[in-house]
């Protein structure tokens, strides 16, 4: 029995190139072989698909209908075949990731170090940035940000537990100043603020009371885009700062910082690895996605 699919790839090559010789070169066969395969397909269908003259190659009406019907299906077949080949391929290449500066768990190294041991053929290029931009347009394979600010058309998988923010200050600062009991009391304190860029306003500190979210526009005595600077200044007694509990944890545990206003800081969804929605992901990105998911389960 003759394979029903025989000749379809030849027909598609001719339909796209509108030239028998070019179609043959693309397929790696002779012009004669292209002509014979196409003739066998037309004989099975009982209708001419290609109209040839000495000067041009065009599709018949039946050819146009057939092309519209088979092109998407053949594309899916090719994608499926490539996906199987990719499964056997060793992940390799450069993986570019844009990561928020406060994504502590991802940047701590444990997750990335394990992935690099598992896939030694992959090199990683990480850009630490708090700017909001289109990672695809900027040439990144993926990003890591808080889930609440990720675009809806992206796929996202968690790389951290739920997060919490809090205010924090040193014991020395709190000896000189009564600790704030409510976020509105921050107006009477020296605050150390954060902003992503010099041309943006300082971040408004976010709180929740009785299920209602609100923010406080503090007037910082010091503003920076570096969390490390914020922590060092807070530990030195310069004022109250605000950020992720996970970031402050080592300093809280050793007594250099004291958490404040925790009753107004409930947990929220944490950080996610996000990437564009595609029918077939690059092997190097798929390897990272699979590793992150496996790490989450374990």
């Amino acid at each position: 029995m003759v394979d029903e699919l025989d000749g379809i790839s030849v027909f598609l090559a001719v339909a796209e190139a509108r030239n028998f010789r070019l179609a043959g070169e693309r397929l790696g066969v002779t012009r004669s072989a292209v002509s014979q395969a196409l003739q066998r397909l037309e004989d099975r269908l009982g209708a001419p698909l290609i109209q040839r003259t000495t000067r041009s190659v065009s599709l018949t009406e039946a050819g146009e209908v057939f092309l519209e019907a088979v092109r998407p299906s053949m594309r899916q077949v090719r994608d499926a075949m490539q996906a199987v080949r990719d499964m056997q391929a060793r992940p390799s290449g450069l993986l570019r990731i844009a990561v928020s500066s406060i994504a502590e768990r991802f940047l701590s190294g444990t997750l990335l170090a394990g992935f690099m041991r598992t896939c030694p053929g992959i090199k990683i290029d990480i850009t630490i940035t708090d700017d909001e931009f289109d990672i695809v347009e900027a040439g990144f394979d993926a990003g890591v940000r808080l889930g609440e600010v990720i675009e809806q058309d992206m796929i996202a998988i968690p790389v951290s537990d739920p997060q919490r923010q809090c205010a924090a200050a040193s014991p020395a600062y709190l000896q000189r100043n009564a600790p704030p009991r409510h976020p509105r009391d921050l107006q009477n304190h020296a605050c150390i603020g954060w902003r992503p860029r010099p041309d943006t306003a300082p971040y408004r500190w976010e709180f929740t009371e009785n299920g209602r979210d609100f923010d406080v526009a503090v007037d910082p005595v010091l503003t920076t885009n570096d969390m490390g600077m914020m922590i060092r200044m807070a530990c030195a007694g310069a004022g109250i700062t605000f950020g992720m509990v996970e970031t402050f944890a080592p300093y809280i545990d050793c007594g250099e910082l004291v958490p404040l206003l925790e009753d107004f800081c409930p947990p929220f969804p944490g950080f996610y690895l996000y990437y564009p929605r595609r029918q077939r992901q690059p092997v190097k990105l798929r390897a990272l996605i699979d590793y992150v998911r496996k790490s989450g389960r374990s």
Side-chain angles (χ1 to χ4, degrees):
M1 182 177 178
V2 178
D3 187 346
E4 290 291 338
L5 297 179
D6 181 44
I8 293 181
S9 59
V10 173
F11 165 73
L12 287 174
V14 173
E16 291 169 359
R18 300 301 169 105
N19 184 291
F20 275 62
R21 179 182 59 80
L22 292 178
E25 291 177 357
R26 182 181 301 176
L27 296 170
V29 299
T30 65
R31 178 174 178 172
S32 175
V34 170
S35 180
Q36 293 172 19
L38 188 58
Q39 185 63 58
R40 290 195 297 270
L41 177 62
E42 290 177 327
D43 290 344
R44 292 203 308 278
L45 294 174
L49 302 175
I50 300 293
Q51 180 69 44
R52 277 186 290 180
T53 68
T54 56
R55 295 184 179 181
S56 66
V57 173
S58 60
L59 299 182
T60 64
E61 183 179 0
E64 293 283 2
V65 171
F66 193 63
L67 176 64
E68 290 302 313
V70 301
R71 178 184 274 163
S73 299
M74 288 302 292
R75 186 179 297 118
Q76 290 179 347
V77 170
R78 289 169 182 159
D79 287 346
M81 293 177 68
Q82 186 61 49
V84 173
R85 294 189 192 103
D86 289 346
M87 290 174 64
Q88 310 306 317
R90 182 169 175 259
S92 62
L94 180 64
L95 198 57
R96 299 188 66 225
I97 309 173
V99 182
S100 169
S101 65
I102 54 174
E104 287 293 314
R105 184 172 182 271
F106 191 83
L107 293 175
S108 65
T110 304
L111 179 67
L112 288 176
F115 172 68
M116 293 171 71
R117 287 193 298 270
T118 302
C119 300
I122 294 179
K123 294 182 178 180
I124 301 176
D125 184 311
I126 291 181
T127 296
I128 309 301
T129 175
D130 294 303
D131 290 343
E132 296 185 14
F133 58 90
D134 185 335
I135 59 171
V136 177
E137 183 177 336
F140 289 94
D141 297 289
V144 176
R145 294 172 67 183
L146 286 173
E148 61 191 28
V149 295
I150 294 174
E151 295 84 351
Q152 293 297 315
D153 60 345
M154 293 286 176
I155 299 175
I157 55 177
V159 291
S160 79
D161 297 327
Q163 298 290 296
R164 248 189 356 101
Q165 296 193 105
C166 76
S170 70
Y173 178 85
L174 297 175
Q175 286 177 358
R176 302 192 307 269
N177 302 273
R181 302 300 180 186
H182 190 279
R184 62 174 169 264
D185 298 338
L186 291 167
Q187 305 290 350
N188 301 318
H189 283 269
C191 293
I192 301 166
W194 176 86
R195 50 149 174 76
R197 298 185 309 276
D199 60 346
T200 57
Y203 168 71
R204 297 170 69 95
W205 296 8
E206 298 176 283
F207 300 95
T208 299
E209 183 177 25
N210 299 323
R212 182 180 64 86
D213 297 333
F214 66 99
D215 56 54
V216 175
V218 298
D219 183 19
V221 295
L222 183 148
T223 308
T224 178
N225 67 336
D226 182 67
M227 178 58 68
M229 171 64 75
M230 294 168 62
I231 291 173
R232 288 191 295 273
M233 294 303 294
C235 289
I240 299 174
T241 193
F242 189 79
M244 295 293 180
V245 171
E246 187 176 53
T247 303
F248 294 154
Y251 305 90
I252 293 173
D253 292 344
C254 70
E256 290 187 78
L257 289 177
V258 177
L260 305 169
L261 302 173
E262 291 188 285
D263 290 343
F264 300 91
C265 301
F268 55 89
F271 292 92
Y272 287 75
L273 174 73
Y274 69 101
Y275 49 92
R277 194 180 301 274
R278 298 191 185 103
Q279 188 170 10
R280 185 167 58 85
Q281 298 292 349
V283 179
K284 58 186 179 181
L285 178 55
R286 173 52 56 189
L288 177 62
I289 294 167
D290 292 343
Y291 185 83
V292 168
R293 284 179 169 154
K294 181 180 177 182
S295 298
R297 289 195 299 271
S298 60

